[in-house]
Amino acid sequence: VQLQASGGGLVQAGGFLRLSCAASGSIFNENVLGWYRQARGKQRELVAAMTTGGSTNYADSLKGRFTVSRDNAKNMVFLQMNGLKPEDTAVYYCYAVPLGGMNYGVEYWGKGTQVTVSS
């Protein structure tokens, strides 16, 4: 499974960004696609994730500002980030977990895309 994320960059506080991630390979038709982030000096943390069936999971602190969505036909996942704050500055990683097949439960990670929010 390969994951290619895009859409990161530098934005002022209060601004918005939309991240995209395309998954390819043996992702299986039932899967979880989502995003984690890791700020400098901190542990990687869940941002948001979405199953093929549409169930979502968000970090409580990000509900209302971040929205995850996906295009199942294209195996893509998106993260709309609004009202960005300097503390949202981090490397954002796309991840995928197949929910069937020989790779069931295996976590796959993209290389990450930097998001920097200036104050």
Side-chain angles (χ1 to χ4, degrees), residues 44-63:
R44 191 174 294 190
E45 62 176 355
L46 172 71
V47 175
M50 192 170 191
T51 67
T52 314
S55 296
T56 58
N57 187 25
Y58 287 92
D60 288 340
S61 63
L62 300 177
K63 289 179 181 178

Side-chain angles (χ1 to χ4, degrees), residues 65-77:
R65 290 196 299 123
F66 288 17
T67 303
V68 65
S69 61
R70 57 183 290 166
D71 182 334
N72 288 338
K74 297 180 179 179
N75 278 329
M76 293 190 71
V77 63

Side-chain angles (χ1 to χ4, degrees), residues 74-103:
K74 297 180 179 179
N75 278 329
M76 293 190 71
V77 63
F78 308 97
L79 184 68
Q80 180 68 41
M81 305 184 291
N82 297 328
L84 282 163
K85 304 175 181 180
E87 52 262 42
D88 294 318
T89 295
V91 178
Y92 285 70
Y93 296 91
C94 175
Y95 82 102
V97 180
L99 297 180
M102 61 183 296
N103 296 323

Side-chain angles (χ1 to χ4, degrees), residues 3-60:
L3 299 165
Q4 182 65 50
S6 61
L10 174 64
V11 64
Q12 289 187 333
F16 63 91
L17 283 173
R18 186 174 188 249
L19 305 183
S20 300
C21 177
S24 60
S26 301
I27 191 63
F28 198 70
N29 54 359
E30 296 291 326
N31 56 65
V32 178
L33 295 177
W35 301 90
Y36 273 70
R37 70 184 184 183
Q38 187 167 20
R40 185 173 297 179
K42 296 187 178 181
Q43 290 188 331
R44 191 174 294 190
E45 62 176 355
L46 172 71
V47 175
M50 192 170 191
T51 67
T52 314
S55 296
T56 58
N57 187 25
Y58 287 92
D60 288 340

